[in-house]
Amino acid sequence: LKSLSLRSTVLTARMAPRQGTRRRSHTADDAPGSAAGKPVAFTDPAEILREEGGVTVEAPVVYSRKSQSEKEFDAEEIEKHNTREDCWLVVDGVVYDTTEFVDAHPGGWTTMMNCAGRDATDAFAQFHPNHVYKTMLPRYRIGVLSKGDREKYAPDAFVRDMRALRQRLLSEGKFKTDSFFYVKTISWLFGLLALGLGLG
């Protein structure tokens, strides 16, 4: 069970923010791995920064339900469930049976096969806003990664650095959607079109 490294820190905001998350102003010094080297300034260590609707929100690392499974699964068992017909994922130490969602996945079932039977924490964070963690993941929860394997498969230095970098970029508002950027881009393209038509 190996952690998937972050290959990009770009998220596309597709939906409006959901309730249940808190919007706060974070500075670079608040984020782990910041230039100041200070730890993240959360009062609750179970919170994290994520993207939602083009802005940074502070949210629980894992969303919980009143009735949820705490059954422990070891890596050997999880790795067996790595097919389209039997797909388990591990995200932030929680085990999810996403088999019934595989064919409905917007990114296609083959994308999920890259993470099936593995730790998908970083790959999941790369492409999903906070509301997916809140409204979709909990329904597929079947348990948690065993304590022994949590230690055994803890992220290496590179993955920790990439996670810290992501938190820093979020704290600095680098994931914020800037509508004016698109206005400028479209205006520039129309300008080129007009120039081309004029020269033609």
Side-chain angles (χ1 to χ4, degrees), residues 24-171:
R24 293 186 181 177
S25 175
H26 293 275
T27 65
D29 287 347
D30 289 333
S34 66
K38 297 179 182 178
V40 62
F42 296 154
T43 56
D44 185 350
E47 292 184 342
I48 196 171
L49 297 180
R50 292 199 183 104
E51 180 273 341
E52 181 63 74
V55 297
T56 296
V57 298
E58 187 177 324
V61 173
V62 176
Y63 280 94
S64 301
R65 288 184 168 183
K66 291 181 179 179
S67 177
Q68 63 184 18
S69 175
E70 297 296 334
K71 181 179 179 180
E72 292 194 358
F73 295 94
D74 59 28
E76 184 178 359
E77 173 62 27
I78 294 168
E79 289 170 356
K80 296 176 183 177
H81 304 271
N82 61 0
T83 67
R84 185 176 182 179
E85 295 75 25
D86 185 12
C87 179
W88 289 13
L89 306 175
V90 178
V91 179
D92 294 311
V94 179
V95 183
Y96 301 94
D97 181 354
T98 58
T99 304
E100 66 179 66
F101 182 70
V102 169
D103 289 327
H105 185 245
W109 68 271
T110 54
T111 302
M112 292 190 68
M113 291 304 96
N114 292 327
C115 304
R118 305 175 64 184
D119 182 359
T121 299
D122 298 298
F124 200 90
Q126 181 179 351
F127 295 105
H128 300 90
N130 186 66
H131 73 265
V132 177
Y133 287 84
K134 180 182 179 182
T135 62
M136 296 192 68
L137 273 185
R139 72 183 72 167
Y140 300 113
R141 178 172 177 154
I142 58 173
V144 296
L145 186 62
S146 67
K147 293 180 180 179
D149 282 324
R150 272 180 250 170
E151 297 176 359
K152 181 179 179 181
Y153 294 104
D156 59 25
F158 175 78
V159 174
R160 290 196 302 272
D161 286 346
M162 291 301 98
R163 291 180 182 178
L165 175 60
R166 184 183 188 82
Q167 288 296 292
R168 181 177 180 181
L169 293 175
L170 281 163
S171 74

Side-chain angles (χ1 to χ4, degrees), residues 162-194:
M162 291 301 98
R163 291 180 182 178
L165 175 60
R166 184 183 188 82
Q167 288 296 292
R168 181 177 180 181
L169 293 175
L170 281 163
S171 74
E172 294 175 348
K174 301 299 185 182
F175 288 70
K176 183 178 180 180
T177 300
D178 183 2
S179 300
F180 188 59
F181 166 80
Y182 298 100
V183 173
K184 290 188 295 183
T185 301
I186 293 173
S187 299
W188 180 73
L189 291 174
F190 272 110
L192 287 180
L193 178 62

